[in-house]
Amino acid sequence: GAGVSQTPSNKVTEKGKYVELRCDPISGHTALYWYRQSLGQGPEFLIYFQGTGAADDSGLPNDRFFAVRPEGSVSTLKIQRTERGDSAVYLCASSFFSGSTHEQFFGPGTRLTVL
Amino acid sequence: DAKTTQPNSMESNEEEPVHLPCNHSTISGTDYIHWYRQLPSQGPEYVIHGLTSNVNNRMASLAIAEDRKSSTLILHRATLRDAAVYYCILVTSGTYKYIFGTGTRLKVLA
């Protein structure tokens, strides 16, 4: 079946611009996660959704970052006034339930480059 | 969150077994040990997880030390497709947050 998909696969923007990154989770998965991965590092947790609500946004670096999941399926990560330091691969994952024994399925990521 | 320590890189010959170590000396009794791997230009993918007992699945085996302060991911016959970064992650029971380290980059030699 279809896995987690993310669009666009690559995004190049200029400093100060607004960007939106989209994640389509696996159908039926209630939990959705966003991570950010810088070069040479492991993924870093950003935010977790259970259904439509953000259950944990403790990983968002500052208020320029925001994410929504209005219908409990597709999610959009929004970054305002982008900075060069925001350049990274943004990964989305989903799972049937959240929890320590439930596998997270990751998408291929969106590579964001801020010039 | 309990942390894990892994070697930065390892090499293996094709079709030979590979033992990838992970130290987690501050593990608590409710922490599950998860392994994920990340192939080039892809998101991480699940490999295996366990709590106390050794685990086997179609991809790998997980050997957990009796004191749970270390574990080893075993790939029984490495192939070129197994070249990836392998992450050992502790996940506390009832939580969902993965704290990734820098992982072990496995190189498989033909």
Side-chain angles (χ1 to χ4, degrees), chain B:
Chain B
D1 298 304
K3 295 191 183 298
T4 63
T5 304
Q6 300 177 252
N8 288 334
S9 63
M10 292 183 64
E11 280 188 2
S12 173
N13 292 319
E14 197 177 11
E15 298 190 6
E16 290 187 355
V18 182
H19 291 233
L20 297 164
C22 181
N23 287 321
H24 29 77
S25 58
T26 59
I27 191 171
S28 75
T30 58
D31 286 343
Y32 284 80
I33 302 161
H34 285 243
W35 284 81
Y36 278 71
R37 71 179 186 181
Q38 188 171 22
L39 280 65
S41 300
Q42 295 187 26
E45 68 172 342
Y46 170 82
V47 177
I48 200 165
H49 79 275
L51 184 61
T52 56
S53 304
N54 294 344
V55 184
N56 299 296
N57 66 20
R58 63 175 180 82
M59 289 182 71
S61 295
L62 175 61
I64 301 172
E66 196 168 333
D67 64 3
R68 301 186 72 235
K69 294 185 176 183
S70 65
S71 60
T72 302
L73 179 70
I74 302 165
L75 307 179
H76 295 287
R77 289 183 67 215
T79 70
L80 296 178
R81 292 180 66 252
D82 291 322
V85 178
Y86 287 78
Y87 296 99
C88 169
I89 307 163
L90 299 184
V91 185
T92 302
S93 178
T95 70
Y96 49 82
K97 188 181 295 186
Y98 288 3
I99 309 295
F100 287 83
T102 53
T104 297
R105 182 172 299 277
L106 175 65
K107 185 176 180 179
V108 180
L109 306 175

Side-chain angles (χ1 to χ4, degrees), chain A residues 29-92:
Chain A
H29 279 192
T30 61
L32 185 145
Y33 316 81
W34 283 97
Y35 294 83
R36 177 170 71 173
Q37 186 171 25
S38 301
L39 193 63
Q41 303 297 313
E44 173 191 22
F45 169 83
L46 295 177
I47 187 169
Y48 153 62
F49 286 90
Q50 180 58 48
T52 60
D56 182 352
D57 64 359
S58 62
L60 295 178
N62 52 60
D63 61 6
R64 295 186 298 105
F65 289 75
F66 189 71
V68 295
R69 194 185 185 201
E71 297 179 358
S73 178
V74 171
S75 177
T76 305
L77 179 66
K78 308 180 181 196
I79 310 174
Q80 298 177 321
R81 304 182 304 280
T82 52
E83 300 178 356
R84 292 193 180 88
D86 299 335
S87 295
V89 175
Y90 288 81
L91 294 162
C92 176

Side-chain angles (χ1 to χ4, degrees), chain A residues 20-31:
Chain A
E20 290 189 351
L21 311 179
R22 176 187 169 109
C23 171
D24 282 83
I26 292 172
S27 178
H29 279 192
T30 61

